[in-house]
Amino acid sequence: MSVALPQPGDVLPGRTVEVDRERLIAYAAVSGDHNRIHWDERYARQAGLPGVIAHGMFTMASAAALAGDWAGPGAHVAGYRAKFVGAVPVPYAGTAAIEVAGVVTSVDPQERTAVVELTVRCGGEKVLGNARLTVQYPA
């Protein structure tokens, strides 16, 4: 029995991903990205940033997880692209909220794929632009 495909215009339920400094350190440990802009406040400000910022790939992965979870069992993200257009500043105490929403823009029934356009913001500002992924559904 095959899984039903979504339809163009279907809206993914939005999600907010909270990120704090501890999560940045954990991400740095597994990704190998120990750039000081992700943990050293003074260094990040000297680099022209508003303070410590989340890793771009962490932000992308947080957004892709929305579609992966929404697609259901057996489906997977088969392609993904995005442009980094803003930063996710992470305060010393507390969290930053990455807000993710998505809408299905096209479906290919023969290939069993759906294209999802994502909107990814932090503090009302877009942080990923042209964020689009392709979900592959099982036969």
Side-chain angles (χ1 to χ4, degrees):
M1 180 176 192
S2 68
V3 175
L5 294 173
Q7 296 300 308
D10 284 357
V11 176
L12 284 64
R15 166 183 291 173
T16 300
V17 177
E18 300 288 336
V19 58
D20 60 13
R21 297 285 179 95
E22 185 176 340
R23 200 160 184 193
L24 291 184
I25 292 166
Y27 182 82
V30 298
S31 72
D33 183 349
H34 299 282
N35 189 318
R36 289 174 62 183
I37 63 173
H38 303 304
W39 58 270
D40 184 332
E41 190 80 29
R42 187 172 58 156
Y43 185 85
R45 289 188 188 281
Q46 288 174 344
L49 297 167
V52 166
I53 62 170
H55 303 73
M57 295 304 288
F58 174 89
T59 304
M60 281 185 71
S62 297
L66 168 71
D69 293 347
W70 164 82
H76 65 275
V77 175
Y80 187 19
R81 71 163 199 219
K83 181 177 179 181
F84 301 119
V85 297
V88 175
V90 180
Y92 181 76
T95 62
I98 302 169
E99 301 134 10
V100 185
V103 63
V104 176
T105 57
S106 65
V107 175
D108 183 332
Q110 288 186 310
E111 295 294 322
R112 299 202 46 82
T113 58
V115 175
V116 178
E117 295 283 340
L118 297 173
T119 302
V120 185
R121 299 180 181 278
C122 179
E125 300 292 321
K126 187 182 281 193
V127 294
L128 294 181
N130 300 319
R132 175 186 294 168
L133 51 79
T134 302
V135 177
Q136 179 71 58
Y137 287 86

